Amino acid sequence: MEEQAEMVGRAFVDHYYHLFDTERASLSSLYQPTSMLSFEGQKIFGVDDITSKLNQLPFDQCKHLISTIDSQPSSPAGGIVVFVSGSLQLPGEEHHLRFSQMFHLIPTPQGSFFLQNDIFRLNYG
């Protein structure tokens, strides 16, 4: 089960950041009405408000550079917790912004996963 969590976690992270960096509006397909996002301490609920927040960030283009991915099974029902650390490169910026992000993936009846919880923080210092 742990090996599967690692595989799913890595595949999800690759997919999520690819969408974020190239087609951010498509991230809405990963969330559900019950989903929650904590973005720099701001709590946002539901797919519409989460999508709105992500699409209104003050930059259109970026590139996520992933340093680490840690995944664990979260319940007998098949949930997975994924913790990511890395850096964010913005156009025209010399320095990268370091970040940490946690995803709680919940299995769907169709055999895929959706994002129940998403917590994002920039790492300062």
Side-chain angles (χ1 to χ4, degrees), residues 50-114:
I50 292 170
T51 302
S52 178
K53 172 65 178 179
L54 296 176
N55 288 324
Q56 290 176 5
L57 291 173
F59 50 87
D60 290 330
Q61 295 179 336
C62 65
K63 175 141 182 67
H64 288 85
L65 306 167
I66 305 306
S67 301
T68 64
I69 303 170
D70 295 297
S71 301
Q72 295 180 352
S74 67
S75 70
I80 300 172
V81 173
V82 183
F83 183 78
V84 179
S85 67
S87 59
L88 183 60
Q89 183 178 8
L90 300 176
E93 294 292 327
E94 181 181 342
H95 299 289
H96 296 189
L97 301 171
R98 294 173 46 101
F99 74 92
S100 297
Q101 192 160 13
M102 188 281 305
F103 302 111
H104 186 201
L105 307 177
I106 302 295
T108 66
Q110 297 78 24
S112 62
F113 290 85
F114 78 91

Side-chain angles (χ1 to χ4, degrees), residues 25-40:
S26 296
L27 287 172
S28 63
S29 66
L30 303 177
Y31 296 93
Q32 297 284 317
T34 60
S35 297
M36 297 170 28
L37 167 67
S38 292
F39 189 89
E40 288 293 299

